[in-house]
Amino acid sequence: MRGLRSRKTCRAHGERERHAGPPPTGFTLLPWLLMGMGSLSNLFQGETPNPLIGGLGLLTFNSLYVFLAFRAFDRRKRDAPATRVALLLLALLTCALAIGYGGNWLLFFPLLGLAVGAVLRGPGLGRWGWSLAVLAGAVAGVKEGWDGIGILYGTFLSTMVTSAILSLSEAVRELRAAREELARRAVEEERLRFSRDLHDLLGHTLSVIVVKSEAARRLAPRDLDASLAQINDIESVGRQALTEIREAVTGYRENSLATEVDRARSVLTAAGVEPTVRRSGAPLSARTEALLGWVVREAVTNAVRHSGARHCEIAVHGAADRVRLTVTDDGHGPAGAPPSAVGGTGLKGLRERLTAAGGTLTAGPGPHGGFTVTAELPQDTAGAEAGPRSEAELSSGGPTPPPPLPPQAPGMPTPAPELTLP
């Protein structure tokens, strides 16, 4: 499996390289050395005095130029002191050869401009480019008169154009790398969202199914109708979970706080835990209700699964600037877990969700025993539905439930409506 993953990674990297093309190297600057062919021709034709010195100067110039060309495409090497020293030596050698011989040897100034433009990139290049061009023009003017204007122009142009092209190429590659990094992070965030959704959905749903199955098993010997009601609830929960998982895959699932509170009440009652719901304040936006619905789902699931509680209270209070949700039970928390170890995958995912929305989540033992989960979010009423709630809705956390359809045992929850599978 690891080898297959490595091959896939290498293949994807190879595809990106083919799409982006190979990065530029020092070989892109080597063809410009052909500008020194005139000087080499003068050496072979005996037109250069002291040919030994001229040959050594030409060899040294080419060596320094090649050295700088291959270091110019590595940012760390480009800024190294050795590179700057080599560039200074190249400039001194160019001036010496141009002053000593003139003619074709003046073309080394544009080559020096190429090296300067490749190495010295950035805002300060203009100053160096003009200084080098003026120096080349002065030396060429002394040796060739007004014909030295061409050397001045060629030196300045080669310096600035080389720097512009290489900087643009480097910026394009950095932007492409940044785009690929953003795409990779988007995929990772989507995977994280999907894993959180599946954990919350499946963990809650399976806990509900287990609790209601146990209730149906206990009720079956003495109250068949109540046991059938629990079985109907199990079927409804399974169908609803299937729909929610499909919606979670597409990323369009929005939890309703009232719906989650109703489900929590049903689950707690079936587990033998007495639920109490208190809600006050203005209506909340759909986004805030969705986040608080996740908190209610996870906190109630933990209370049923781990706490051994006999009473659980869900309180929602919307202030002017923040909304606060508190889920408190009188249980003992996860068996054998120290307070420092409180907070599993579900609470960690919830904390990430609320932090991203500017909120906070705290979970731990309560001041009077039991376990408390507290979530706070900034008040966002932009998407809240207008209109006051009735007293029945404020006390239950949602609309007044319809009358029970089948006969039920006292204290048993009303089964959820049956969902039609697509």
Side-chain angles (χ1 to χ4, degrees), residues 45 51-52 71 78 85 87 103 119 148 154-155 171 189 198 200 204 214 271 306 318 349 355 357 380-381 387-388:
Q45 294 177 4
L52 179 60
R71 294 179 70 89
R78 189 167 65 234
V85 171
L87 189 62
V119 173
T155 301
E189 291 176 358
L198 285 183
D200 295 341
H204 173 78
E214 292 176 351
H306 303 302
T355 301
D380 179 16
T381 60

Side-chain angles (χ1 to χ4, degrees), residues 136-155:
V139 174
V142 172
K143 302 297 293 187
E144 302 293 335
W146 287 104
D147 293 338
I149 297 294
I151 299 297
L152 184 151
Y153 176 74
T155 301

Side-chain angles (χ1 to χ4, degrees), residues 48-72:
T48 301
N50 299 320
L52 179 60
I53 296 177
L56 290 176
L58 181 61
L59 178 62
T60 305
F61 180 92
N62 291 339
S63 301
L64 289 173
Y65 180 87
V66 172
F67 176 78
L68 290 170
F70 281 96
R71 294 179 70 89

Side-chain angles (χ1 to χ4, degrees), residues 47-122:
E47 299 177 2
T48 301
N50 299 320
L52 179 60
I53 296 177
L56 290 176
L58 181 61
L59 178 62
T60 305
F61 180 92
N62 291 339
S63 301
L64 289 173
Y65 180 87
V66 172
F67 176 78
L68 290 170
F70 281 96
R71 294 179 70 89
F73 294 93
D74 188 322
R75 180 171 297 179
R76 181 177 58 83
K77 294 180 179 179
R78 189 167 65 234
D79 297 332
T83 304
R84 304 305 172 92
V85 171
L87 189 62
L88 178 61
L89 293 176
L90 185 66
L92 295 176
L93 180 60
T94 301
C95 292
L97 293 175
I99 293 174
Y101 297 113
N104 290 327
W105 298 83
L106 294 173
L107 295 178
F108 285 162
F109 275 112
L111 284 174
L112 175 61
L114 286 171
V116 170
V119 173
L120 302 180
R121 309 179 198 175

